[in-house]
Amino acid sequence: AQSVSQHNHHVILSEAASLELGCNYSYGGTVNLFWYVQYPGQHLQLLLKYFSGDPLVKGIKGFEAEFIKSKFSFNLRKPSVQWSDTAEYFCAVTVPSGGSYIPTFGRGTSLIVHP
Amino acid sequence: DVKVTQSSRYLVKRTGEKVFLECVQDMDHENMFWYRQDPGLGLRLIYFSYDVKMKEKGDIPEGYSVSREKKERFSLILESASTNQTSMYLCASRWRDSSYEQYFGPGTRLTVT
């Protein structure tokens, strides 16, 4: 079964610092990749996704992620974080599984940004 | 805007009770999912439905069952609630194509005492 690893479980930054959250997956075929965010008290929502084309994808609120196939990675980046980026971030990978396409989620990274 | 609604935000039940969690989506999505979210464990898939009356077990189906009689509604059933089922339950829906993202409901925080 495929797995998704998020290496940073808790990250604490000051405003204006740069952010990089790691995500690695364990599947050798074609994948669809997603980053979701859950702000305090809100439901999970999509930040960005990759399914083909340019491996550098841009999402909402200044976030971007780079798909590196050779490293099985899809790291999330933001050059300058804001207090409002405090949230939990989840990486997800969708691979074919017996005719279905079931997403597998990482364990999440809790980001706290101090003003 | 896609909307996924869940019947309750908070629920408290006693051990041994039968519990129904309802999820409704308004965008004609074929696929629907039930997850539980626990601190440090991320989202774990309980059941997945790829169309009406169709279902597949996820990673942790034990103690749960599901029902999908209509396209817009996906129910999670705890036949006999236990304290280890205390958790946040999230419902999601998606178009059939796997390149599309999931849309999540607000979650139901279930406490079993």
Side-chain angles (χ1 to χ4, degrees), chain A residues 52-77:
Chain A
S52 68
D54 188 342
L56 184 63
V57 292
K58 296 192 183 300
I60 61 171
K61 304 189 180 187
F63 285 90
E64 65 178 30
E66 185 175 13
F67 170 51
I68 304 179
K69 190 173 183 179
S70 61
K71 294 185 177 180
F72 300 91
S73 71
F74 189 54
N75 292 353
L76 181 70
R77 299 194 293 248

PDB file of all heavy atoms in Angstrom, chain A residues 52-77:
ATOM      1  N   SER A  52      -0.493  16.998 -13.809  1.00  0.00           N
ATOM      2  CA  SER A  52       0.334  16.868 -15.009  1.00  0.00           C
ATOM      3  C   SER A  52       0.908  18.240 -15.346  1.00  0.00           C
ATOM      4  O   SER A  52       0.515  19.255 -14.766  1.00  0.00           O
ATOM      5  CB  SER A  52      -0.476  16.326 -16.194  1.00  0.00           C
ATOM      6  OG  SER A  52      -1.431  17.273 -16.600  1.00  0.00           O
ATOM      7  N   GLY A  53       1.863  18.243 -16.290  1.00  0.00           N
ATOM      8  CA  GLY A  53       2.374  19.519 -16.775  1.00  0.00           C
ATOM      9  C   GLY A  53       3.486  20.075 -15.923  1.00  0.00           C
ATOM     10  O   GLY A  53       4.296  19.338 -15.361  1.00  0.00           O
ATOM     11  N   ASP A  54       3.522  21.395 -15.809  1.00  0.00           N
ATOM     12  CA  ASP A  54       4.574  22.106 -15.088  1.00  0.00           C
ATOM     13  C   ASP A  54       4.663  21.563 -13.657  1.00  0.00           C
ATOM     14  O   ASP A  54       3.671  21.597 -12.921  1.00  0.00           O
ATOM     15  CB  ASP A  54       4.257  23.596 -15.071  1.00  0.00           C
ATOM     16  CG  ASP A  54       5.399  24.437 -14.515  1.00  0.00           C
ATOM     17  OD1 ASP A  54       6.298  23.884 -13.831  1.00  0.00           O
ATOM     18  OD2 ASP A  54       5.381  25.654 -14.753  1.00  0.00           O
ATOM     19  N   PRO A  55       5.839  21.066 -13.251  1.00  0.00           N
ATOM     20  CA  PRO A  55       5.947  20.487 -11.900  1.00  0.00           C
ATOM     21  C   PRO A  55       5.914  21.531 -10.786  1.00  0.00           C
ATOM     22  O   PRO A  55       5.799  21.169  -9.617  1.00  0.00           O
ATOM     23  CB  PRO A  55       7.307  19.786 -11.930  1.00  0.00           C
ATOM     24  CG  PRO A  55       8.076  20.493 -12.987  1.00  0.00           C
ATOM     25  CD  PRO A  55       7.077  20.918 -14.015  1.00  0.00           C
ATOM     26  N   LEU A  56       6.022  22.801 -11.130  1.00  0.00           N
ATOM     27  CA  LEU A  56       5.913  23.855 -10.126  1.00  0.00           C
ATOM     28  C   LEU A  56       4.493  24.410 -10.201  1.00  0.00           C
ATOM     29  O   LEU A  56       4.100  25.004 -11.203  1.00  0.00           O
ATOM     30  CB  LEU A  56       6.946  24.943 -10.391  1.00  0.00           C
ATOM     31  CG  LEU A  56       6.998  26.072  -9.348  1.00  0.00           C
ATOM     32  CD1 LEU A  56       7.411  25.517  -7.982  1.00  0.00           C
ATOM     33  CD2 LEU A  56       7.971  27.162  -9.791  1.00  0.00           C
ATOM     34  N   VAL A  57       3.740  24.172  -9.141  1.00  0.00           N
ATOM     35  CA  VAL A  57       2.345  24.617  -9.150  1.00  0.00           C
ATOM     36  C   VAL A  57       2.136  25.702  -8.108  1.00  0.00           C
ATOM     37  O   VAL A  57       2.736  25.677  -7.040  1.00  0.00           O
ATOM     38  CB  VAL A  57       1.369  23.447  -8.891  1.00  0.00           C
ATOM     39  CG1 VAL A  57       1.378  22.485 -10.044  1.00  0.00           C
ATOM     40  CG2 VAL A  57       1.689  22.733  -7.607  1.00  0.00           C
ATOM     41  N   LYS A  58       1.270  26.628  -8.466  1.00  0.00           N
ATOM     42  CA  LYS A  58       0.968  27.730  -7.555  1.00  0.00           C
ATOM     43  C   LYS A  58      -0.453  27.573  -7.044  1.00  0.00           C
ATOM     44  O   LYS A  58      -1.353  27.148  -7.769  1.00  0.00           O
ATOM     45  CB  LYS A  58       1.140  29.058  -8.275  1.00  0.00           C
ATOM     46  CG  LYS A  58       2.582  29.304  -8.699  1.00  0.00           C
ATOM     47  CD  LYS A  58       2.820  30.733  -9.146  1.00  0.00           C
ATOM     48  CE  LYS A  58       4.245  30.936  -9.636  1.00  0.00           C
ATOM     49  NZ  LYS A  58       5.238  30.640  -8.576  1.00  0.00           N
ATOM     50  N   GLY A  59      -0.616  27.899  -5.764  1.00  0.00           N
ATOM     51  CA  GLY A  59      -1.923  27.780  -5.165  1.00  0.00           C
ATOM     52  C   GLY A  59      -2.412  29.099  -4.611  1.00  0.00           C
ATOM     53  O   GLY A  59      -1.922  30.162  -4.977  1.00  0.00           O
ATOM     54  N   ILE A  60      -3.363  28.984  -3.687  1.00  0.00           N
ATOM     55  CA  ILE A  60      -3.918  30.185  -3.095  1.00  0.00           C
ATOM     56  C   ILE A  60      -2.975  30.760  -2.047  1.00  0.00           C
ATOM     57  O   ILE A  60      -2.096  30.055  -1.533  1.00  0.00           O
ATOM     58  CB  ILE A  60      -5.295  29.903  -2.467  1.00  0.00           C
ATOM     59  CG1 ILE A  60      -5.184  28.844  -1.354  1.00  0.00           C
ATOM     60  CG2 ILE A  60      -6.285  29.465  -3.537  1.00  0.00           C
ATOM     61  CD1 ILE A  60      -6.451  28.660  -0.549  1.00  0.00           C
ATOM     62  N   LYS A  61      -3.145  32.040  -1.741  1.00  0.00           N
ATOM     63  CA  LYS A  61      -2.468  32.720  -0.645  1.00  0.00           C
ATOM     64  C   LYS A  61      -0.946  32.667  -0.753  1.00  0.00           C
ATOM     65  O   LYS A  61      -0.259  32.661   0.276  1.00  0.00           O
ATOM     66  CB  LYS A  61      -2.932  32.158   0.702  1.00  0.00           C
ATOM     67  CG  LYS A  61      -4.438  32.248   0.863  1.00  0.00           C
ATOM     68  CD  LYS A  61      -4.906  31.896   2.260  1.00  0.00           C
ATOM     69  CE  LYS A  61      -6.420  32.019   2.318  1.00  0.00           C
ATOM     70  NZ  LYS A  61      -6.965  31.850   3.652  1.00  0.00           N
ATOM     71  N   GLY A  62      -0.423  32.621  -1.969  1.00  0.00           N
ATOM     72  CA  GLY A  62       1.014  32.699  -2.174  1.00  0.00           C
ATOM     73  C   GLY A  62       1.773  31.407  -1.987  1.00  0.00           C
ATOM     74  O   GLY A  62       3.008  31.390  -2.008  1.00  0.00           O
ATOM     75  N   PHE A  63       1.088  30.312  -1.805  1.00  0.00           N
ATOM     76  CA  PHE A  63       1.745  29.015  -1.653  1.00  0.00           C
ATOM     77  C   PHE A  63       2.104  28.420  -3.015  1.00  0.00           C
ATOM     78  O   PHE A  63       1.421  28.662  -4.004  1.00  0.00           O
ATOM     79  CB  PHE A  63       0.845  28.025  -0.901  1.00  0.00           C
ATOM     80  CG  PHE A  63       0.758  28.296   0.572  1.00  0.00           C
ATOM     81  CD1 PHE A  63      -0.223  29.130   1.081  1.00  0.00           C
ATOM     82  CD2 PHE A  63       1.662  27.702   1.447  1.00  0.00           C
ATOM     83  CE1 PHE A  63      -0.303  29.382   2.440  1.00  0.00           C
ATOM     84  CE2 PHE A  63       1.584  27.941   2.810  1.00  0.00           C
ATOM     85  CZ  PHE A  63       0.607  28.784   3.304  1.00  0.00           C
ATOM     86  N   GLU A  64       3.160  27.636  -3.035  1.00  0.00           N
ATOM     87  CA  GLU A  64       3.527  26.893  -4.226  1.00  0.00           C
ATOM     88  C   GLU A  64       4.118  25.556  -3.805  1.00  0.00           C
ATOM     89  O   GLU A  64       4.493  25.369  -2.641  1.00  0.00           O
ATOM     90  CB  GLU A  64       4.538  27.664  -5.080  1.00  0.00           C
ATOM     91  CG  GLU A  64       5.882  27.891  -4.426  1.00  0.00           C
ATOM     92  CD  GLU A  64       6.848  28.622  -5.341  1.00  0.00           C
ATOM     93  OE1 GLU A  64       6.398  29.428  -6.184  1.00  0.00           O
ATOM     94  OE2 GLU A  64       8.058  28.393  -5.195  1.00  0.00           O
ATOM     95  N   ALA A  65       4.163  24.624  -4.746  1.00  0.00           N
ATOM     96  CA  ALA A  65       4.746  23.318  -4.455  1.00  0.00           C
ATOM     97  C   ALA A  65       5.437  22.812  -5.706  1.00  0.00           C
ATOM     98  O   ALA A  65       5.030  23.118  -6.830  1.00  0.00           O
ATOM     99  CB  ALA A  65       3.676  22.325  -4.007  1.00  0.00           C
ATOM    100  N   GLU A  66       6.486  22.037  -5.485  1.00  0.00           N
ATOM    101  CA  GLU A  66       7.244  21.488  -6.600  1.00  0.00           C
ATOM    102  C   GLU A  66       7.204  19.980  -6.568  1.00  0.00           C
ATOM    103  O   GLU A  66       7.546  19.358  -5.550  1.00  0.00           O
ATOM    104  CB  GLU A  66       8.690  21.962  -6.569  1.00  0.00           C
ATOM    105  CG  GLU A  66       9.486  21.513  -7.798  1.00  0.00           C
ATOM    106  CD  GLU A  66      10.877  22.083  -7.844  1.00  0.00           C
ATOM    107  OE1 GLU A  66      11.346  22.626  -6.814  1.00  0.00           O
ATOM    108  OE2 GLU A  66      11.509  21.978  -8.910  1.00  0.00           O
ATOM    109  N   PHE A  67       6.804  19.391  -7.678  1.00  0.00           N
ATOM    110  CA  PHE A  67       6.782  17.942  -7.837  1.00  0.00           C
ATOM    111  C   PHE A  67       8.136  17.516  -8.400  1.00  0.00           C
ATOM    112  O   PHE A  67       8.517  17.943  -9.494  1.00  0.00           O
ATOM    113  CB  PHE A  67       5.652  17.546  -8.786  1.00  0.00           C
ATOM    114  CG  PHE A  67       5.670  16.108  -9.223  1.00  0.00           C
ATOM    115  CD1 PHE A  67       5.771  15.081  -8.300  1.00  0.00           C
ATOM    116  CD2 PHE A  67       5.567  15.774 -10.556  1.00  0.00           C
ATOM    117  CE1 PHE A  67       5.773  13.756  -8.690  1.00  0.00           C
ATOM    118  CE2 PHE A  67       5.553  14.452 -10.978  1.00  0.00           C
ATOM    119  CZ  PHE A  67       5.670  13.436 -10.037  1.00  0.00           C
ATOM    120  N   ILE A  68       8.871  16.696  -7.645  1.00  0.00           N
ATOM    121  CA  ILE A  68      10.130  16.147  -8.133  1.00  0.00           C
ATOM    122  C   ILE A  68       9.954  14.637  -8.215  1.00  0.00           C
ATOM    123  O   ILE A  68      10.023  13.927  -7.201  1.00  0.00           O
ATOM    124  CB  ILE A  68      11.323  16.528  -7.230  1.00  0.00           C
ATOM    125  CG1 ILE A  68      11.412  18.046  -7.096  1.00  0.00           C
ATOM    126  CG2 ILE A  68      12.621  15.966  -7.808  1.00  0.00           C
ATOM    127  CD1 ILE A  68      12.542  18.540  -6.210  1.00  0.00           C
ATOM    128  N   LYS A  69       9.747  14.157  -9.422  1.00  0.00           N
ATOM    129  CA  LYS A  69       9.402  12.745  -9.615  1.00  0.00           C
ATOM    130  C   LYS A  69      10.510  11.821  -9.131  1.00  0.00           C
ATOM    131  O   LYS A  69      10.257  10.798  -8.513  1.00  0.00           O
ATOM    132  CB  LYS A  69       9.106  12.488 -11.095  1.00  0.00           C
ATOM    133  CG  LYS A  69       8.503  11.128 -11.385  1.00  0.00           C
ATOM    134  CD  LYS A  69       8.089  11.020 -12.834  1.00  0.00           C
ATOM    135  CE  LYS A  69       7.422   9.668 -13.099  1.00  0.00           C
ATOM    136  NZ  LYS A  69       6.999   9.550 -14.511  1.00  0.00           N
ATOM    137  N   SER A  70      11.753  12.195  -9.391  1.00  0.00           N
ATOM    138  CA  SER A  70      12.887  11.332  -9.030  1.00  0.00           C
ATOM    139  C   SER A  70      13.052  11.196  -7.528  1.00  0.00           C
ATOM    140  O   SER A  70      13.631  10.223  -7.048  1.00  0.00           O
ATOM    141  CB  SER A  70      14.175  11.892  -9.642  1.00  0.00           C
ATOM    142  OG  SER A  70      14.424  13.189  -9.151  1.00  0.00           O
ATOM    143  N   LYS A  71      12.526  12.159  -6.795  1.00  0.00           N
ATOM    144  CA  LYS A  71      12.628  12.117  -5.336  1.00  0.00           C
ATOM    145  C   LYS A  71      11.306  11.733  -4.682  1.00  0.00           C
ATOM    146  O   LYS A  71      11.225  11.713  -3.448  1.00  0.00           O
ATOM    147  CB  LYS A  71      13.072  13.483  -4.806  1.00  0.00           C
ATOM    148  CG  LYS A  71      14.487  13.878  -5.214  1.00  0.00           C
ATOM    149  CD  LYS A  71      14.906  15.176  -4.551  1.00  0.00           C
ATOM    150  CE  LYS A  71      16.345  15.537  -4.912  1.00  0.00           C
ATOM    151  NZ  LYS A  71      16.771  16.807  -4.261  1.00  0.00           N
ATOM    152  N   PHE A  72      10.295  11.450  -5.466  1.00  0.00           N
ATOM    153  CA  PHE A  72       8.960  11.125  -4.936  1.00  0.00           C
ATOM    154  C   PHE A  72       8.525  12.191  -3.933  1.00  0.00           C
ATOM    155  O   PHE A  72       8.007  11.879  -2.856  1.00  0.00           O
ATOM    156  CB  PHE A  72       8.968   9.734  -4.276  1.00  0.00           C
ATOM    157  CG  PHE A  72       9.351   8.633  -5.213  1.00  0.00           C
ATOM    158  CD1 PHE A  72      10.674   8.246  -5.340  1.00  0.00           C
ATOM    159  CD2 PHE A  72       8.392   7.984  -5.971  1.00  0.00           C
ATOM    160  CE1 PHE A  72      11.038   7.235  -6.221  1.00  0.00           C
ATOM    161  CE2 PHE A  72       8.742   6.971  -6.845  1.00  0.00           C
ATOM    162  CZ  PHE A  72      10.079   6.592  -6.973  1.00  0.00           C
ATOM    163  N   SER A  73       8.743  13.443  -4.285  1.00  0.00           N
ATOM    164  CA  SER A  73       8.450  14.504  -3.322  1.00  0.00           C
ATOM    165  C   SER A  73       7.523  15.554  -3.918  1.00  0.00           C
ATOM    166  O   SER A  73       7.452  15.746  -5.137  1.00  0.00           O
ATOM    167  CB  SER A  73       9.746  15.164  -2.852  1.00  0.00           C
ATOM    168  OG  SER A  73      10.322  15.931  -3.884  1.00  0.00           O
ATOM    169  N   PHE A  74       6.836  16.240  -3.013  1.00  0.00           N
ATOM    170  CA  PHE A  74       5.912  17.321  -3.391  1.00  0.00           C
ATOM    171  C   PHE A  74       5.919  18.318  -2.234  1.00  0.00           C
ATOM    172  O   PHE A  74       4.986  18.394  -1.450  1.00  0.00           O
ATOM    173  CB  PHE A  74       4.517  16.756  -3.659  1.00  0.00           C
ATOM    174  CG  PHE A  74       3.541  17.730  -4.263  1.00  0.00           C
ATOM    175  CD1 PHE A  74       3.846  18.419  -5.436  1.00  0.00           C
ATOM    176  CD2 PHE A  74       2.307  17.950  -3.689  1.00  0.00           C
ATOM    177  CE1 PHE A  74       2.952  19.308  -6.010  1.00  0.00           C
ATOM    178  CE2 PHE A  74       1.385  18.832  -4.248  1.00  0.00           C
ATOM    179  CZ  PHE A  74       1.718  19.507  -5.405  1.00  0.00           C
ATOM    180  N   ASN A  75       6.990  19.079  -2.128  1.00  0.00           N
ATOM    181  CA  ASN A  75       7.166  19.972  -0.989  1.00  0.00           C
ATOM    182  C   ASN A  75       6.421  21.284  -1.177  1.00  0.00           C
ATOM    183  O   ASN A  75       6.392  21.852  -2.267  1.00  0.00           O
ATOM    184  CB  ASN A  75       8.650  20.245  -0.761  1.00  0.00           C
ATOM    185  CG  ASN A  75       9.403  19.014  -0.292  1.00  0.00           C
ATOM    186  OD1 ASN A  75       8.800  17.961  -0.012  1.00  0.00           O
ATOM    187  ND2 ASN A  75      10.709  19.115  -0.227  1.00  0.00           N
ATOM    188  N   LEU A  76       5.878  21.759  -0.095  1.00  0.00           N
ATOM    189  CA  LEU A  76       5.105  23.003  -0.082  1.00  0.00           C
ATOM    190  C   LEU A  76       6.002  24.145   0.369  1.00  0.00           C
ATOM    191  O   LEU A  76       6.758  23.999   1.329  1.00  0.00           O
ATOM    192  CB  LEU A  76       3.922  22.870   0.881  1.00  0.00           C
ATOM    193  CG  LEU A  76       2.985  24.072   1.002  1.00  0.00           C
ATOM    194  CD1 LEU A  76       2.172  24.247  -0.273  1.00  0.00           C
ATOM    195  CD2 LEU A  76       2.063  23.902   2.203  1.00  0.00           C
ATOM    196  N   ARG A  77       5.880  25.304  -0.292  1.00  0.00           N
ATOM    197  CA  ARG A  77       6.734  26.444   0.042  1.00  0.00           C
ATOM    198  C   ARG A  77       5.920  27.733   0.064  1.00  0.00           C
ATOM    199  O   ARG A  77       4.917  27.870  -0.632  1.00  0.00           O
ATOM    200  CB  ARG A  77       7.868  26.579  -0.977  1.00  0.00           C
ATOM    201  CG  ARG A  77       8.797  25.397  -1.051  1.00  0.00           C
ATOM    202  CD  ARG A  77      10.055  25.754  -1.808  1.00  0.00           C
ATOM    203  NE  ARG A  77       9.806  26.010  -3.216  1.00  0.00           N
ATOM    204  CZ  ARG A  77      10.236  25.221  -4.203  1.00  0.00           C
ATOM    205  NH1 ARG A  77      10.895  24.111  -3.925  1.00  0.00           N
ATOM    206  NH2 ARG A  77      10.003  25.544  -5.459  1.00  0.00           N
TER     207      ARG A  77
END
